[in-house]
Amino acid sequence: MLNVLTQSSNDKKNVEYEVVTLDSSFLWTYRRPIRVLAGHACEIEKMIDHISKTFREMRKNWQSGIRPLKDFLKAMCSTLVKYGRCDSPKEELLSLLASGPSDAMLQLFGMPEHVTSHILKRMQKSCVGACDSLISMIAKYLRPALEVCAFRANDMRGLALCEDEFERIGWTSELADKIVNSIDSCMIKSQSLDLAVRKARVDFDALLMWLRSEWQRYQGSELENTGDRNSEMLKR
């Protein structure tokens, strides 16, 4: 038997104490299933903590990786406002893709303090690198941790189905099914996240490669125009 002293009060002046007696023989009788379930639960808790740390690191890497692109778009917003354009960077880039450079876009690409080939290459490397980092962390840390959780949860469900002593301590197949279904849902979402990051990698790579090609094309036309003007001056 286990005696526990409890305290209850409605305010600081009226304090009441009560002794509660618990039959601890239950813990001894069912020590094996309790110990087995506790072991599984402890390992799942470790994996959940590991997953939380992985997500924090993934968030950090993502924010760091796309920061150059966000800075570029922020500078582009300022340039568009400066030249009286009401379009957002997204709308301006779509316009550039559909119909060629607009006046404001030409001004943007003609301002080295905002855009250079090196900046565009650095943005491409940073964004693609962030995606590669997330893909690697999903494969090396997130998915294996979820697989461990799934293995432990399915083992716990098997215990609830096969052994009566687990049901006697309140561990039922219904509870186990809820945990298994939750972990399965997380695994499906991790797969969706992996596919989304891979798609983002392709999109980032294509977008910034296209911007670099537009930059180089514009720079080439500028050099050609400068050469024509110099030739005209020499003829004079």
Side-chain angles (χ1 to χ4, degrees):
M1 305 297 288
L2 178 65
N3 295 322
V4 180
L5 179 64
T6 62
Q7 175 182 327
S8 61
S9 64
N10 296 326
D11 53 56
K12 294 182 179 180
K13 294 182 179 179
N14 299 319
V15 179
E16 297 181 356
Y17 296 94
E18 184 177 358
V19 176
V20 179
T21 302
L22 302 175
D23 184 3
S24 58
S25 61
F26 173 86
L27 300 176
W28 176 256
T29 302
Y30 296 101
R31 62 189 181 279
R32 191 190 76 83
I34 292 174
R35 183 167 56 247
V36 171
L37 287 178
H40 284 306
C42 182
E43 290 302 316
I44 291 176
E45 183 182 15
K46 289 179 182 178
M47 291 299 102
I48 291 174
D49 183 60
H50 181 70
I51 290 169
S52 297
K53 292 178 180 178
T54 300
F55 273 124
R56 287 195 294 270
E57 189 67 22
M58 289 170 65
R59 179 183 177 87
K60 178 182 176 182
N61 291 353
W62 178 260
Q63 291 178 338
S64 175
I66 66 171
R67 186 174 295 117
L69 179 60
K70 292 175 70 175
D71 292 341
F72 165 77
L73 294 176
K74 184 177 180 180
M76 186 175 176
C77 283
S78 301
T79 302
L80 293 174
V81 171
K82 178 180 178 180
Y83 289 96
R85 302 285 293 192
C86 298
D87 295 339
S88 66
K90 179 180 178 180
E91 292 168 335
E92 193 70 24
L93 290 173
L94 288 174
S95 175
L96 174 64
L97 178 62
S99 58
S102 63
D103 292 339
M105 200 63 194
L106 286 174
Q107 292 290 345
L108 177 67
F109 277 99
M111 298 176 68
E113 64 269 24
H114 283 172
V115 180
T116 65
S117 180
H118 174 71
I119 288 177
L120 293 173
K121 185 175 181 180
R122 183 167 61 89
M123 282 196 299
Q124 183 178 14
K125 183 178 179 180
S126 181
C127 291
V128 171
C131 293
D132 287 339
S133 173
L134 264 62
I135 292 169
S136 175
M137 295 182 75
I138 290 171
K140 290 182 179 180
Y141 305 114
L142 181 58
R143 192 170 295 141
L146 288 172
E147 288 173 354
V148 171
C149 290
F151 169 78
R152 294 282 181 175
N154 278 288
D155 197 13
M156 293 167 74
R157 180 169 60 179
L159 293 172
L161 292 171
C162 299
E163 300 191 33
D164 293 339
E165 60 180 346
F166 286 91
E167 187 173 355
R168 294 193 187 101
I169 64 173
W171 181 249
T172 63
S173 59
E174 289 78 10
L175 291 174
D177 286 340
K178 290 181 180 180
I179 295 177
V180 170
N181 292 337
S182 296
I183 295 174
D184 287 344
S185 177
C186 290
M187 294 187 73
I188 292 172
K189 290 179 179 178
S190 71
Q191 183 65 26
S192 299
L193 176 61
D194 182 69
L195 293 174
V197 174
R198 290 178 185 275
K199 183 179 182 300
R201 186 191 189 284
V202 174
D203 291 342
F204 280 140
D205 199 31
L207 170 65
L208 293 163
M209 188 176 296
W210 169 67
L211 285 177
R212 288 177 64 189
S213 68
E214 287 296 312
W215 163 261
Q216 291 168 359
R217 184 165 66 87
Y218 174 68
Q219 288 294 96
S221 64
E222 281 293 290
L223 290 173
E224 184 179 345
N225 292 336
T226 301
D228 292 342
R229 287 194 294 269
N230 292 339
S231 297
E232 288 295 328
M233 292 176 65
L234 290 173
K235 289 179 181 178
R236 294 176 184 176

PDB file of all heavy atoms in Angstrom, residues 78-96:
ATOM      1  N   SER A  78      11.819  48.370 -54.509  1.00  0.00           N
ATOM      2  CA  SER A  78      12.238  49.772 -54.419  1.00  0.00           C
ATOM      3  C   SER A  78      12.479  50.366 -55.797  1.00  0.00           C
ATOM      4  O   SER A  78      12.111  51.517 -56.081  1.00  0.00           O
ATOM      5  CB  SER A  78      13.497  49.887 -53.561  1.00  0.00           C
ATOM      6  OG  SER A  78      13.278  49.385 -52.264  1.00  0.00           O
ATOM      7  N   THR A  79      13.083  49.591 -56.682  1.00  0.00           N
ATOM      8  CA  THR A  79      13.361  50.071 -58.035  1.00  0.00           C
ATOM      9  C   THR A  79      12.068  50.291 -58.817  1.00  0.00           C
ATOM     10  O   THR A  79      11.927  51.283 -59.533  1.00  0.00           O
ATOM     11  CB  THR A  79      14.253  49.062 -58.776  1.00  0.00           C
ATOM     12  OG1 THR A  79      15.457  48.877 -58.040  1.00  0.00           O
ATOM     13  CG2 THR A  79      14.599  49.566 -60.175  1.00  0.00           C
ATOM     14  N   LEU A  80      11.126  49.381 -58.680  1.00  0.00           N
ATOM     15  CA  LEU A  80       9.851  49.519 -59.374  1.00  0.00           C
ATOM     16  C   LEU A  80       9.103  50.771 -58.909  1.00  0.00           C
ATOM     17  O   LEU A  80       8.506  51.494 -59.713  1.00  0.00           O
ATOM     18  CB  LEU A  80       8.995  48.276 -59.156  1.00  0.00           C
ATOM     19  CG  LEU A  80       9.509  46.981 -59.794  1.00  0.00           C
ATOM     20  CD1 LEU A  80       8.654  45.794 -59.375  1.00  0.00           C
ATOM     21  CD2 LEU A  80       9.533  47.094 -61.315  1.00  0.00           C
ATOM     22  N   VAL A  81       9.143  51.036 -57.617  1.00  0.00           N
ATOM     23  CA  VAL A  81       8.510  52.249 -57.091  1.00  0.00           C
ATOM     24  C   VAL A  81       9.224  53.493 -57.610  1.00  0.00           C
ATOM     25  O   VAL A  81       8.596  54.481 -57.991  1.00  0.00           O
ATOM     26  CB  VAL A  81       8.526  52.224 -55.540  1.00  0.00           C
ATOM     27  CG1 VAL A  81       8.066  53.563 -54.977  1.00  0.00           C
ATOM     28  CG2 VAL A  81       7.631  51.100 -55.021  1.00  0.00           C
ATOM     29  N   LYS A  82      10.539  53.427 -57.665  1.00  0.00           N
ATOM     30  CA  LYS A  82      11.333  54.564 -58.137  1.00  0.00           C
ATOM     31  C   LYS A  82      10.969  54.954 -59.555  1.00  0.00           C
ATOM     32  O   LYS A  82      10.925  56.153 -59.896  1.00  0.00           O
ATOM     33  CB  LYS A  82      12.820  54.206 -58.042  1.00  0.00           C
ATOM     34  CG  LYS A  82      13.753  55.302 -58.541  1.00  0.00           C
ATOM     35  CD  LYS A  82      15.197  54.859 -58.408  1.00  0.00           C
ATOM     36  CE  LYS A  82      16.144  55.931 -58.941  1.00  0.00           C
ATOM     37  NZ  LYS A  82      17.566  55.496 -58.816  1.00  0.00           N
ATOM     38  N   TYR A  83      10.693  53.967 -60.398  1.00  0.00           N
ATOM     39  CA  TYR A  83      10.374  54.245 -61.796  1.00  0.00           C
ATOM     40  C   TYR A  83       8.870  54.257 -62.076  1.00  0.00           C
ATOM     41  O   TYR A  83       8.433  54.147 -63.218  1.00  0.00           O
ATOM     42  CB  TYR A  83      11.074  53.224 -62.703  1.00  0.00           C
ATOM     43  CG  TYR A  83      12.559  53.425 -62.752  1.00  0.00           C
ATOM     44  CD1 TYR A  83      13.404  52.691 -61.936  1.00  0.00           C
ATOM     45  CD2 TYR A  83      13.124  54.401 -63.582  1.00  0.00           C
ATOM     46  CE1 TYR A  83      14.776  52.895 -61.952  1.00  0.00           C
ATOM     47  CE2 TYR A  83      14.494  54.602 -63.604  1.00  0.00           C
ATOM     48  CZ  TYR A  83      15.308  53.855 -62.798  1.00  0.00           C
ATOM     49  OH  TYR A  83      16.673  54.052 -62.805  1.00  0.00           O
ATOM     50  N   GLY A  84       8.095  54.392 -61.001  1.00  0.00           N
ATOM     51  CA  GLY A  84       6.663  54.581 -61.162  1.00  0.00           C
ATOM     52  C   GLY A  84       5.899  53.358 -61.598  1.00  0.00           C
ATOM     53  O   GLY A  84       4.819  53.475 -62.207  1.00  0.00           O
ATOM     54  N   ARG A  85       6.415  52.188 -61.298  1.00  0.00           N
ATOM     55  CA  ARG A  85       5.725  50.953 -61.674  1.00  0.00           C
ATOM     56  C   ARG A  85       4.873  50.475 -60.497  1.00  0.00           C
ATOM     57  O   ARG A  85       5.311  50.478 -59.352  1.00  0.00           O
ATOM     58  CB  ARG A  85       6.722  49.862 -62.044  1.00  0.00           C
ATOM     59  CG  ARG A  85       7.667  50.226 -63.171  1.00  0.00           C
ATOM     60  CD  ARG A  85       6.989  50.191 -64.518  1.00  0.00           C
ATOM     61  NE  ARG A  85       6.618  48.823 -64.869  1.00  0.00           N
ATOM     62  CZ  ARG A  85       6.218  48.472 -66.089  1.00  0.00           C
ATOM     63  NH1 ARG A  85       6.134  49.391 -67.044  1.00  0.00           N
ATOM     64  NH2 ARG A  85       5.898  47.221 -66.342  1.00  0.00           N
ATOM     65  N   CYS A  86       3.629  50.081 -60.791  1.00  0.00           N
ATOM     66  CA  CYS A  86       2.722  49.603 -59.756  1.00  0.00           C
ATOM     67  C   CYS A  86       2.761  48.082 -59.615  1.00  0.00           C
ATOM     68  O   CYS A  86       2.147  47.522 -58.706  1.00  0.00           O
ATOM     69  CB  CYS A  86       1.285  50.041 -60.059  1.00  0.00           C
ATOM     70  SG  CYS A  86       1.091  51.834 -60.099  1.00  0.00           S
ATOM     71  N   ASP A  87       3.427  47.424 -60.544  1.00  0.00           N
ATOM     72  CA  ASP A  87       3.462  45.956 -60.517  1.00  0.00           C
ATOM     73  C   ASP A  87       4.336  45.456 -59.364  1.00  0.00           C
ATOM     74  O   ASP A  87       5.279  46.114 -58.934  1.00  0.00           O
ATOM     75  CB  ASP A  87       4.019  45.398 -61.825  1.00  0.00           C
ATOM     76  CG  ASP A  87       3.097  45.703 -63.003  1.00  0.00           C
ATOM     77  OD1 ASP A  87       1.908  45.968 -62.749  1.00  0.00           O
ATOM     78  OD2 ASP A  87       3.578  45.684 -64.142  1.00  0.00           O
ATOM     79  N   SER A  88       3.995  44.271 -58.894  1.00  0.00           N
ATOM     80  CA  SER A  88       4.835  43.595 -57.909  1.00  0.00           C
ATOM     81  C   SER A  88       5.998  42.933 -58.642  1.00  0.00           C
ATOM     82  O   SER A  88       5.973  42.794 -59.863  1.00  0.00           O
ATOM     83  CB  SER A  88       4.017  42.529 -57.171  1.00  0.00           C
ATOM     84  OG  SER A  88       3.637  41.499 -58.065  1.00  0.00           O
ATOM     85  N   PRO A  89       7.050  42.522 -57.915  1.00  0.00           N
ATOM     86  CA  PRO A  89       8.145  41.805 -58.575  1.00  0.00           C
ATOM     87  C   PRO A  89       7.668  40.578 -59.345  1.00  0.00           C
ATOM     88  O   PRO A  89       8.167  40.300 -60.439  1.00  0.00           O
ATOM     89  CB  PRO A  89       9.052  41.423 -57.403  1.00  0.00           C
ATOM     90  CG  PRO A  89       8.815  42.479 -56.387  1.00  0.00           C
ATOM     91  CD  PRO A  89       7.361  42.819 -56.500  1.00  0.00           C
ATOM     92  N   LYS A  90       6.694  39.855 -58.787  1.00  0.00           N
ATOM     93  CA  LYS A  90       6.175  38.674 -59.481  1.00  0.00           C
ATOM     94  C   LYS A  90       5.541  39.069 -60.812  1.00  0.00           C
ATOM     95  O   LYS A  90       5.799  38.441 -61.853  1.00  0.00           O
ATOM     96  CB  LYS A  90       5.154  37.964 -58.598  1.00  0.00           C
ATOM     97  CG  LYS A  90       4.532  36.728 -59.243  1.00  0.00           C
ATOM     98  CD  LYS A  90       3.523  36.080 -58.319  1.00  0.00           C
ATOM     99  CE  LYS A  90       2.868  34.874 -58.979  1.00  0.00           C
ATOM    100  NZ  LYS A  90       1.862  34.231 -58.070  1.00  0.00           N
ATOM    101  N   GLU A  91       4.724  40.114 -60.801  1.00  0.00           N
ATOM    102  CA  GLU A  91       4.059  40.573 -62.021  1.00  0.00           C
ATOM    103  C   GLU A  91       5.077  41.095 -63.035  1.00  0.00           C
ATOM    104  O   GLU A  91       4.947  40.867 -64.244  1.00  0.00           O
ATOM    105  CB  GLU A  91       3.043  41.655 -61.685  1.00  0.00           C
ATOM    106  CG  GLU A  91       1.851  41.149 -60.882  1.00  0.00           C
ATOM    107  CD  GLU A  91       0.999  42.259 -60.314  1.00  0.00           C
ATOM    108  OE1 GLU A  91       1.537  43.372 -60.113  1.00  0.00           O
ATOM    109  OE2 GLU A  91      -0.193  42.021 -60.059  1.00  0.00           O
ATOM    110  N   GLU A  92       6.102  41.784 -62.557  1.00  0.00           N
ATOM    111  CA  GLU A  92       7.114  42.323 -63.451  1.00  0.00           C
ATOM    112  C   GLU A  92       7.930  41.211 -64.104  1.00  0.00           C
ATOM    113  O   GLU A  92       8.244  41.257 -65.294  1.00  0.00           O
ATOM    114  CB  GLU A  92       8.036  43.261 -62.675  1.00  0.00           C
ATOM    115  CG  GLU A  92       8.930  44.124 -63.542  1.00  0.00           C
ATOM    116  CD  GLU A  92       8.145  45.204 -64.297  1.00  0.00           C
ATOM    117  OE1 GLU A  92       7.057  45.577 -63.843  1.00  0.00           O
ATOM    118  OE2 GLU A  92       8.650  45.661 -65.344  1.00  0.00           O
ATOM    119  N   LEU A  93       8.242  40.170 -63.317  1.00  0.00           N
ATOM    120  CA  LEU A  93       8.993  39.041 -63.864  1.00  0.00           C
ATOM    121  C   LEU A  93       8.152  38.257 -64.869  1.00  0.00           C
ATOM    122  O   LEU A  93       8.671  37.790 -65.887  1.00  0.00           O
ATOM    123  CB  LEU A  93       9.457  38.123 -62.730  1.00  0.00           C
ATOM    124  CG  LEU A  93      10.562  38.698 -61.826  1.00  0.00           C
ATOM    125  CD1 LEU A  93      10.810  37.775 -60.642  1.00  0.00           C
ATOM    126  CD2 LEU A  93      11.844  38.925 -62.598  1.00  0.00           C
ATOM    127  N   LEU A  94       6.863  38.119 -64.589  1.00  0.00           N
ATOM    128  CA  LEU A  94       5.981  37.450 -65.551  1.00  0.00           C
ATOM    129  C   LEU A  94       5.873  38.260 -66.837  1.00  0.00           C
ATOM    130  O   LEU A  94       5.827  37.707 -67.940  1.00  0.00           O
ATOM    131  CB  LEU A  94       4.591  37.245 -64.935  1.00  0.00           C
ATOM    132  CG  LEU A  94       4.486  36.167 -63.843  1.00  0.00           C
ATOM    133  CD1 LEU A  94       3.091  36.184 -63.217  1.00  0.00           C
ATOM    134  CD2 LEU A  94       4.789  34.795 -64.410  1.00  0.00           C
ATOM    135  N   SER A  95       5.842  39.595 -66.696  1.00  0.00           N
ATOM    136  CA  SER A  95       5.811  40.463 -67.873  1.00  0.00           C
ATOM    137  C   SER A  95       7.089  40.313 -68.684  1.00  0.00           C
ATOM    138  O   SER A  95       7.066  40.266 -69.911  1.00  0.00           O
ATOM    139  CB  SER A  95       5.621  41.916 -67.441  1.00  0.00           C
ATOM    140  OG  SER A  95       5.706  42.791 -68.536  1.00  0.00           O
ATOM    141  N   LEU A  96       8.222  40.243 -67.976  1.00  0.00           N
ATOM    142  CA  LEU A  96       9.506  40.049 -68.638  1.00  0.00           C
ATOM    143  C   LEU A  96       9.548  38.719 -69.386  1.00  0.00           C
ATOM    144  O   LEU A  96      10.033  38.637 -70.513  1.00  0.00           O
ATOM    145  CB  LEU A  96      10.632  40.114 -67.609  1.00  0.00           C
ATOM    146  CG  LEU A  96      12.043  39.803 -68.096  1.00  0.00           C
ATOM    147  CD1 LEU A  96      12.499  40.843 -69.110  1.00  0.00           C
ATOM    148  CD2 LEU A  96      13.013  39.744 -66.927  1.00  0.00           C
TER     149      LEU A  96
END
